[in-house]
Amino acid sequence: MSIDRTHQFPGIPLALGSALLFGASPPLSKLLMDSIDPWLLAGILYLGAGVGLVLVHFGRRWIGLEGVEAPIRLSDLPWLLAVVVFGGLLGPLLLMFGLSLTTAASGSLLLNLEGLATMAIAWIVFRENVDRRLLLGAIAILTGAALLSWNGQGIAVDKGSLLVALACLAWGIDNNLTRKLSSSDPVQIAMIKGLAAGATNLILALAIGAPVPSPAAIGAGAILGFFGVGISLVLFMLALRHLGTARTGAYFSLAPFIGAMLSIIFLREPLTFQIGFASLLMGTGLWLHLTERHEHLHVHEAFEHEHAHVHDVHHQHYHDGPATEPHSHRHRHAPLTHSHPHYPDLHHRHTHD
């Protein structure tokens, strides 16, 4: 299969890397649940992500990389506040209360609604392009993810299920709103989100009497959170920059499959027919997405924005003096009409008939 590197890279590897790190979190978190309360663990994971990204953020200055990404501007603050509220506060809180009122089987299965909500909002509200091939691929991936969560007990229709579904809706909104910030520094945004969500869950867990675990367990949870939540979220935001929300959400929905495979390898869980059939479905969906080729004559209107970039076909501007690449500064795009394979990235969010 020939892959056009000009539009599929680096977006697809970034999205799959995000899914890999996030998918590895559940089986590794399962090892920690013997010594850490689940709610408290959620707080430690997110707080570990936030604190770790604080070190990354300030560490970049020491090695001279602080100018590569566009910083958060005043105009970004309303979007950042909405992302923190929906993704960092409402999502985790609704999930925790929902899981306390419904069965684990129903909760696990309903969590796949996040991918569906993300794609539906991207297609219906933000009008991202979707064709039959992309839709079939998304359905195959989500069906495989749902099958991995199914244990034959069905879905209990109760208040807990409703709260879990609302949590998925909150994260679907969060993922789409995050697209508005995808040109800004992903480390800063993920850092703020991790600190807010981690502190909230930590305080609530301790308030209801969760026992304080050992320093070793806290450290292990924080390291897992840094990679499985923090770095995963940074990669997710970078993928949004290149792929748009719907496609990034579809690739991210592979996380349950990755978690299942790691559970088989490291936790020696059995390889079942259920996992095999889900793998076939998700592999088919992945192939449909990887072989997608969206190409047509399109018009770039004149506009200005700021983000990390190199001087490619979409960035033909001049600098006063030498400039290293990549770099970030506010720049103007002149009107341009051309045709090439593309995704709904920062420069291709045009409408389709």
Side-chain angles (χ1 to χ4, degrees):
M1 179 177 61
S2 175
I3 296 179
D4 189 340
R5 293 178 180 270
T6 61
H7 77 290
Q8 291 186 318
F9 285 79
I12 290 176
L14 287 169
L16 292 177
S18 176
L20 173 63
L21 289 174
F22 187 79
S25 298
L28 294 176
S29 296
K30 189 174 181 179
L31 297 174
L32 294 173
M33 285 186 181
D34 291 336
S35 54
I36 306 178
D37 175 83
W39 197 337
L40 186 61
L41 178 59
I44 292 172
L45 290 173
Y46 273 84
L47 202 56
V51 172
L53 291 175
V54 167
L55 299 177
V56 171
H57 173 62
F58 289 103
R60 291 182 301 185
R61 298 182 181 180
W62 300 335
I63 58 176
L65 293 177
E66 69 273 17
V68 173
E69 291 288 348
I72 298 174
R73 302 297 185 185
L74 186 62
S75 59
D76 295 326
L77 293 183
W79 297 110
L80 179 59
L81 177 61
V83 164
V84 170
V85 169
F86 280 100
L89 300 178
L90 288 180
L93 285 175
L94 288 168
L95 175 63
M96 291 302 170
F97 284 117
L99 290 178
S100 69
L101 296 173
T102 192
T103 64
S106 296
S108 298
L109 196 59
L110 285 167
L111 281 175
N112 293 295
L113 290 175
E114 179 187 348
L116 183 60
T118 297
M119 285 180 268
I121 293 170
W123 291 333
I124 296 172
V125 178
F126 292 99
R127 311 292 293 177
E128 280 195 12
N129 167 257
V130 58
D131 55 23
R132 184 180 302 175
R133 186 184 193 88
L134 186 66
L135 182 60
L136 288 175
I139 291 173
I141 290 172
L142 288 172
T143 303
L147 184 60
L148 284 175
S149 306
W150 179 263
N151 68 356
Q153 296 182 15
I155 301 177
V157 182
D158 52 26
K159 291 181 180 179
S161 299
L162 177 61
L163 290 174
V164 174
L166 289 174
C168 292
L169 177 61
W171 278 319
I173 295 171
D174 164 44
N175 292 336
N176 279 274
L177 294 180
T178 300
R179 188 186 77 156
K180 296 288 187 178
L181 299 169
S182 60
S183 61
S184 300
D185 186 354
V187 173
Q188 284 187 330
I189 295 167
M191 174 185 70
I192 294 170
K193 188 174 178 181
L195 291 173
T200 300
N201 280 322
L202 195 70
I203 292 170
L204 289 173
L206 293 174
I208 63 171
V212 178
S214 67
I218 293 174
I223 293 172
L224 177 58
F226 172 64
F227 289 99
V229 176
I231 300 299
S232 175
L233 182 55
V234 170
L235 294 178
F236 184 88
M237 290 191 61
L238 290 172
L240 286 175
R241 185 181 296 180
H242 296 281
L243 300 177
T245 311
R247 288 161 179 82
T248 302
Y251 287 119
F252 191 74
S253 296
L254 292 167
F257 166 72
I258 294 169
M261 291 297 101
L262 291 176
S263 296
I264 291 171
I265 296 171
F266 294 108
L267 301 181
R268 299 189 181 278
E269 294 188 358
L271 177 61
T272 63
F273 173 78
Q274 179 184 13
I275 293 176
F277 188 54
S279 301
L280 178 62
L281 285 171
M282 300 180 89
T284 300
L286 179 62
W287 175 78
L288 287 170
H289 278 245
L290 286 174
T291 55
E292 175 199 10
R293 188 176 180 87
H294 180 71
E295 181 176 3
H296 60 89
L297 189 68
H298 55 276
V299 177
H300 295 268
E301 303 290 346
F303 71 102
E304 291 186 10
H305 64 171
E306 182 179 2
H307 65 95
H309 62 278
V310 297
H311 288 174
D312 55 17
V313 66
H314 294 104
H315 298 90
Q316 296 295 317
H317 50 258
Y318 295 96
H319 292 262
D320 295 329
T324 58
E325 296 186 351
H327 55 256
S328 177
H329 60 88
R330 190 161 187 84
H331 55 277
R332 177 177 175 81
H333 289 270
L336 176 66
T337 301
H338 61 176
S339 176
H340 65 95
H342 60 277
Y343 289 131
D345 58 23
L346 286 177
H347 304 96
H348 297 92
R349 291 176 179 171
H350 48 260
T351 58
H352 295 80
D353 295 329

